[in-house]
Amino acid sequence: MPHVLGIETSCDETAAAIYGNGKILADCIIRQIVHEEYGGVVPELASRAHEKLLAAAVDEVLRKSRLEINDLDGAAVTYGPGLAGALLVGVAFAKGLAAGAGLKLIGVNHLEAHLWSAELQYSDIPTPFLAYIISGGHTLLVYVAGFREYQVLGSTQDDAVGELFDKTGRMMGINYPAGSSIDAYALKNNSKTVEFPRARVKNDKYGFSFSGLKTAVLYYLKANFKMQGESFDLNESEKESICAGLMASVADMLIRAAELAFTDFEARALVITGGVSASKFLRNRFQKFTENIGAPLFIPSINLCTDNGAMVAYLGDRLYRKGHFSDLSLPVEPSLTLAY
Ligand code: KG4
Ligand code: ZN
């Protein structure tokens, strides 16, 4: 059984993990906090922070698993999609391990790693399944017939769902990343829910667009509230009504596409991953939906949903055992897609 190190530096999490003997032996996720004051990820700061933190993350997983670099067989690393400079830090580090310690280099597609992350927790996910990857950077609905048999049914034409939450959160004076607070406000709401539109994309059955919803929130805020500093002046109950409306629109849009997909494809389960799947509001709605159609729902625990090294090590192990290695010319691919 190989021991595979997974390295993840595509955005603002510096993460490493080791997969061996059929399980994750050690895992380390360092969330970069430098971005908070800017209200979003600053690419240059992310690269610099990865440079500072990655060696420590790798040291930690080696220490926790009581392994030495020479005990490892493969170095799996996310090479796309993501921020170019941030990806480069991880890829250069993995290449160093490959060249210096003789590990097999394995380039991992971040989206494919998310796709299979649920398997780390649930061993009984039946194929074919439908999967949502919903994060700050991606909103993707994928039909998964089997390994490397993917059909991306829909993706966002503009903002990702997490990005929508972070941007509208900023308008409401909610700290970045705003998703979990918006979720909490939405769940707490017991007064009026503000009505926002549900967008459809012309000639793209499964396509998503969230920028119209973002603009609708902005117009609603402009029409009803005053700016105070950089955001609108709202009390807690007003935030609750708006967040409930925002969440309801997003939930309806996501569930509508899933419903269409379950009609068009013979899928046996729904898998949801990505940071936004931490949302209790969305989980409840997905739960009700899958109960109604009689399909099982698999949402991994939150540390596996947000960016992590475990999913990279896990997919890296699979690729290792299939002999899918990369050579030292492995490029970073910031716009990598799920096409195989
Ligand atoms: O997957 P992730 O950690 O990073 C990438 O974007 O790749 O996702 C982060 C996103 C952020 O936009 C954040 O606002 C959102 O996930 N998020 C949530 C929740 N927790 C994090 N959105 C809704 N409800 C949550 N509980
Ligand atoms: Zn991600």
Side-chain angles (χ1 to χ4, degrees):
M1 284 268 211
H3 285 92
V4 177
L5 171 71
I7 293 173
E8 162 59 44
T9 65
S10 67
C11 192
D12 61 342
E13 266 94 18
T14 309
I18 295 173
Y19 189 86
N21 306 327
K23 57 177 188 291
I24 291 294
L25 302 175
D27 188 9
C28 171
I29 305 174
I30 308 173
R31 299 215 152 78
Q32 301 180 356
I33 44 174
V34 290
H35 309 285
E36 261 167 43
E37 61 178 294
Y38 301 97
V41 180
V42 183
E44 182 53 33
L45 293 181
S47 316
R48 274 191 244 162
H50 285 308
E51 273 178 353
K52 237 189 248 163
L53 301 168
L54 181 56
V58 172
D59 274 348
E60 182 172 329
V61 292
L62 285 169
R63 193 171 39 77
K64 276 193 195 158
S65 58
R66 294 166 194 259
L67 292 171
E68 312 233 328
I69 284 184
N70 290 335
D71 299 322
L72 300 176
D73 302 285
V77 61
T78 300
Y79 72 105
L83 302 168
L87 290 165
L88 207 54
V89 176
V91 168
F93 192 97
K95 283 181 183 175
L97 287 176
L103 309 189
K104 295 282 191 196
L105 180 66
I106 305 153
V108 165
N109 180 330
H110 183 80
L111 298 172
E112 192 179 23
H114 270 303
L115 208 56
W116 293 106
S117 62
E119 268 196 354
L120 267 168
Q121 200 170 336
Y122 310 101
S123 54
D124 51 350
I125 304 174
T127 48
F129 60 80
L130 286 162
Y132 257 123
I133 303 172
I134 331 172
S135 70
H138 311 283
T139 304
L140 239 66
L141 177 60
V142 189
Y143 173 73
V144 180
F147 187 67
R148 296 249 153 132
E149 293 176 77
Y150 314 135
Q151 193 178 339
V152 176
L153 303 180
S155 57
T156 178
Q157 308 219 327
D158 37 61
D159 292 342
V161 174
E163 197 178 354
L164 164 75
F165 291 155
D166 295 337
K167 287 178 176 171
T168 50
R170 196 171 181 176
M171 298 172 195
M172 293 184 273
I174 298 171
N175 284 346
Y176 171 86
S180 61
S181 305
I182 290 182
D183 188 37
Y185 279 124
L187 290 168
K188 240 172 115 190
N189 182 49
N190 49 22
S191 56
K192 164 176 104 57
T193 296
V194 180
E195 199 51 45
F196 292 118
R198 281 99 176 116
R200 289 196 191 172
V201 181
K202 242 193 198 163
N203 303 324
D204 184 0
K205 190 171 181 186
Y206 293 105
F208 301 103
S209 168
F210 296 102
S211 70
L213 184 50
K214 180 181 65 188
T215 309
V217 172
L218 177 63
Y219 283 178
Y220 179 83
L221 291 169
K222 272 189 175 165
N224 294 284
F225 304 98
K226 284 204 177 67
M227 281 287 271
Q228 196 178 58
E230 293 194 345
S231 60
F232 289 88
D233 186 22
L234 310 173
N235 66 29
E236 296 294 284
S237 134
E238 288 155 352
K239 283 183 192 167
E240 289 167 17
S241 306
I242 295 168
C243 293
L246 179 59
M247 274 288 178
S249 280
V250 169
D252 283 351
M253 284 158 73
L254 295 175
I255 284 168
R256 178 182 170 273
E259 203 167 14
L260 285 174
F262 270 103
T263 315
D264 290 349
F265 295 85
E266 271 188 38
R268 298 171 63 201
L270 180 63
V271 172
I272 302 186
T273 179
V276 174
S277 57
S279 160
K280 288 207 186 74
F281 190 101
L282 293 178
R283 280 175 183 242
N284 291 343
R285 288 289 309 272
F286 277 121
Q287 189 74 46
K288 276 192 199 129
F289 164 67
T290 47
E291 273 167 22
N292 276 342
I293 62 164
L297 174 69
F298 297 93
I299 309 180
S301 63
I302 190 59
N303 272 355
L304 281 174
C305 284
T306 51
D307 288 348
N308 63 84
M311 66 182 188
V312 179
Y314 177 66
L315 180 58
D317 168 77
R318 199 154 173 178
L319 295 172
Y320 185 103
R321 286 183 290 108
K322 287 177 183 288
H324 286 292
F325 302 123
S326 311
D327 58 42
L328 290 177
S329 64
L330 177 72
V332 296
E333 291 195 33
S335 307
L336 189 64
T337 60
L338 249 187
Y340 287 96

